Amino acid sequence: MAKRERWQKNFSEWFSDILRDADIMETRYPVKGLFVWLPHGLKLRNSVLGIMRRLLEESGHQEVLFPQLIPENLFKKEAEHIRGFEGQVYWVTHGGHDKLDVKLALRPTSETSIYPMFSLWIRSHADLPIKLYQVVNIFRYETKMTKPMIRLREVTTFKEAHTAHADADEAEAQVMEAVKIYKRFFDELGVPYVVSKRPPWDTFAGARYSIAFDTLAPDGRTLQIGTVHNLGQNFAKVYGLKYEAAGGKHHYVYQTCYGISERVIAAVIMVHGDDNGLCLPPNVAPIQVVVVPIPYKAKEAPVEQIATAVKNELATAGFRAHLDDRNLRPGNKFYYWERRGVPLRLEIGPEDVAKEQVTAVLRDTGEKRAIPRKALGTKVKQMLDEIAENLRERAWKLFRESLKDAPDLGATKGIVKKRGGIARLPWCGQESCGKEIEEQTGGDMLGEELDGAQAPAGTCPICSKRAKTSVLVAKAY
Ligand code: P5A
Ligand code: ZN
């Protein structure tokens, strides 16, 4: 059975060891908050991104690519947005020896570069809706402690979607579609999540409201892995995004935007890991099956030959298969691939050759199975599906166990302080009480659950008024 002790008790150390050992990321780049993707990590990142692109394209989004620099005057047009981002912007002030007339912001997000172009493109109702996305690098001068993939100053996998609509209902429906897309995305990755409406004081700068996806790190802290914002007409009014309706009247559009980053890849790594290292879901694993020949003295040749044949057969069948024919002891190879999270290992020794079988070892459970050569393709497919399902279930089980009802502040504090996960407690809805809850428990209010069907029970732990709703509170990354 896979052990999961260090993974939980010493998560931070586990995470940085894995980034190095599994060839995911080089963390010694000499600028704080900037990191280097390594080959195995980049392959993983690209397959995760592939799922997102597919989901967006299937739902009518089109990819674009905007410049990275935004002139100061455009950047500073929307007052709320500016207030939210001002402290996080890197400025380009010089071109060579010349001081620039207009400072240029390195985008911290792209609303203020994309929407001025929308104003040139939107004329009539026929130009709507617009549904675009891009995958770009953004810069945020984060002041909290930086962490690879989790809190970056250069985010290298910022997938942001931006939409414009004729009316408020359509924008609202777009928010719901985005939530659905993100749910499917995280489901395909087996990453558990809770969806909640952020409280007003944690709403995206310039948005009417924000919906967020949070997962749980093994250390009991939540990680925001995606957000969906209803922007209303805030940006439309500032950038003049108007269309002419049937009667000749002009209306401002309604907008939404939603984004994810490489935090999602951090989530995949951390929710599925164990003390032996990574354990990657087969649909995103750069290598799904590794074939390891186990030579035995003089009988070496057929073992190597058959291992090669098995690898080729799998590759032809469409699996991402790899033959490890390095001159190393099998035990070292096992360790090497386990650490890198390859879901399935096929061992081929003299006995397997004699019996016309291969010995499969499943990464998630460590279970060994003898597989007849004849049934190789179907069995491998079955085992990979089984691993995907098991990883998803294991992660969701732990997540559900970590979301607990807390009747009062004491219980909430207990959960938050012990890093025991997420507490659900009653709230009157007043901002002052909400902030007091955060203050007294040392937690962060994630907000009201989107699918939380449960009736608000009890009373607000601060003012003792009848609860209007129940909210989630946790220590957040
Ligand atoms: C939505 C896309 C936006 O920026 N504008 C376009 C909107 N929202 S957000 O919540 O600020 O960011 C979206 C997601 O990006 C991740 N994220 C980060 N990841 C790593 N390092 C950072 N410094 C960082 N900042 C944001 C979060 O997952 C967030 O939900
Ligand atoms: Zn209250």
Side-chain angles (χ1 to χ4, degrees):
M1 220 15 222
K3 276 181 67 177
R4 304 182 103 187
E5 284 169 11
R6 184 159 170 272
W7 170 76
Q8 260 178 333
K9 289 195 185 122
N10 217 335
F11 166 67
S12 229
E13 198 183 285
W14 178 93
F15 189 66
S16 41
D17 286 354
I18 275 305
L19 295 183
R20 185 191 59 230
D21 295 354
D23 191 32
I24 303 284
M25 199 153 255
E26 168 60 75
T27 57
R28 292 169 297 181
Y29 192 77
V31 181
K32 186 176 150 73
L34 275 54
F35 304 94
V36 180
W37 284 102
L38 296 174
H40 189 234
L42 194 65
K43 286 196 186 98
L44 172 63
R45 176 240 191 215
N46 290 343
S47 6
V48 171
L49 211 47
I51 297 180
M52 179 48 87
R53 285 186 198 280
R54 185 180 89 248
L55 292 172
L56 289 171
E57 299 279 341
E58 278 173 8
S59 51
H61 297 73
Q62 297 204 72
E63 187 170 8
V64 291
L65 193 51
F66 274 69
Q68 195 152 15
L69 298 173
I70 308 171
E72 182 178 23
N73 51 320
L74 280 186
F75 185 69
K76 290 199 166 162
K77 267 192 160 168
E78 213 286 332
E80 278 298 316
H81 192 66
I82 262 305
R83 213 168 308 142
F85 278 104
E86 210 159 32
Q88 295 188 40
V89 178
Y90 286 89
W91 289 103
V92 176
T93 57
H94 287 76
H97 298 299
D98 302 331
K99 190 160 181 279
L100 299 179
D101 293 337
V102 181
K103 279 202 294 182
L104 300 168
L106 273 175
R107 64 179 160 216
T109 171
S110 307
E111 285 74 8
T112 61
S113 82
I114 295 180
Y115 302 163
M117 296 298 106
F118 275 15
S119 81
L120 304 178
W121 301 340
I122 300 170
R123 284 288 164 264
S124 76
H125 195 276
D127 298 323
L128 299 170
I130 297 182
K131 289 164 75 172
L132 300 180
Y133 75 98
Q134 62 177 2
V135 182
V136 296
N137 294 36
I138 57 159
F139 289 87
R140 291 185 184 181
Y141 184 72
E142 296 277 359
T143 47
K144 283 199 205 168
M145 184 148 75
T146 56
K147 200 175 174 67
M149 278 191 238
I150 290 178
R151 182 166 290 101
L152 304 164
R153 286 186 170 174
E154 181 179 8
V155 181
T156 65
T157 312
F158 196 64
K159 189 292 296 168
E160 50 179 333
H162 295 270
T163 73
H165 308 270
D167 60 54
D169 286 350
E170 209 184 292
E172 186 67 33
Q174 191 55 44
V175 165
M176 283 325 184
E177 177 183 82
V179 168
K180 212 169 98 192
I181 291 170
Y182 283 4
K183 280 185 178 174
R184 281 183 53 192
F185 178 57
F186 295 123
D187 287 343
E188 290 200 29
L189 298 170
V191 170
Y193 52 83
V194 63
V195 193
S196 59
K197 189 168 173 179
R198 286 284 187 261
W201 62 93
D202 197 19
T203 295
F204 180 70
R208 274 188 48 222
Y209 66 83
S210 298
I211 289 171
F213 284 71
D214 294 278
T215 192
L216 206 56
D219 62 4
R221 279 199 263 184
T222 54
L223 182 66
Q224 176 183 297
I225 47 174
T227 38
V228 181
H229 312 289
N230 189 330
L231 302 175
Q233 294 180 305
N234 292 349
F235 287 91
K237 286 183 178 160
V238 175
Y239 291 100
L241 311 191
K242 277 191 276 193
Y243 70 95
E244 192 178 315
K249 271 180 106 183
H250 291 261
H251 301 281
Y252 288 112
V253 300
Y254 292 79
Q255 292 184 271
T256 80
C257 68
Y258 27 104
I260 56 142
S261 76
E262 54 257 63
R263 274 192 189 182
V264 170
I265 293 136
V268 170
I269 289 175
M270 68 197 192
V271 301
H272 299 311
D274 63 25
D275 284 3
N276 296 333
L278 282 189
C279 188
L280 294 174
N283 59 345
V284 293
I287 295 174
Q288 298 170 309
V289 190
V290 62
V291 182
V292 182
I294 321 268
Y296 183 75
K297 290 180 188 157
K299 295 178 185 161
E300 270 177 39
V303 164
E304 296 279 357
Q305 264 169 28
I306 288 170
T308 308
V310 163
K311 185 254 160 183
N312 289 339
E313 187 182 331
L314 291 173
T316 308
F319 297 103
R320 293 190 289 275
H322 176 78
L323 171 70
D324 188 353
D325 55 4
R326 291 177 300 172
N327 190 14
L328 289 174
R329 295 198 1 233
N332 292 343
K333 295 183 182 177
F334 298 169
Y335 175 82
Y336 181 91
W337 297 112
E338 271 174 11
R339 211 119 177 85
R340 280 169 169 67
V342 174
L344 194 62
R345 175 171 87 230
L346 300 181
E347 302 173 6
I348 299 168
E351 197 189 322
D352 298 302
V353 173
K355 291 187 178 164
E356 292 187 30
Q357 64 175 32
V358 302
T359 299
V361 184
L362 287 70
R363 171 64 183 83
D364 54 338
T365 58
E367 192 197 331
K368 277 195 177 199
R369 289 182 198 169
I371 306 298
R373 266 294 302 276
K374 278 197 214 108
L376 188 66
T378 30
K379 289 287 178 195
V380 164
K381 170 88 174 61
Q382 274 173 17
M383 287 187 286
L384 291 178
D385 289 347
E386 196 182 315
I387 292 167
E389 195 49 38
N390 179 45
L391 289 179
R392 182 179 299 122
E393 271 171 24
R394 184 172 75 173
W396 269 104
K397 181 167 181 286
L398 197 64
F399 187 79
R400 285 202 192 93
E401 287 167 1
S402 310
L403 207 163
K404 302 176 195 115
D405 281 314
D408 52 40
L409 270 192
T412 307
K413 211 183 286 181
I415 294 167
V416 172
K417 284 261 155 68
K418 269 190 264 141
R419 300 265 169 83
I422 308 172
R424 183 192 286 122
L425 72 161
W427 180 43
C428 66
Q430 294 184 88
E431 179 157 339
S432 56
C433 288
K435 288 189 165 163
E436 194 59 32
I437 292 174
E438 290 188 325
E439 184 74 34
Q440 290 198 25
T441 62
D444 305 277
M445 187 179 279
L446 305 182
E448 193 182 336
E449 273 166 280
L450 211 61
D451 310 315
Q454 70 286 51
T459 54
C460 174
I462 304 294
C463 68
S464 300
K465 282 192 198 132
R466 236 186 103 76
K468 265 216 187 92
T469 177
S470 57
V471 283
L472 303 177
V473 175
K475 184 84 200 150
Y477 259 105

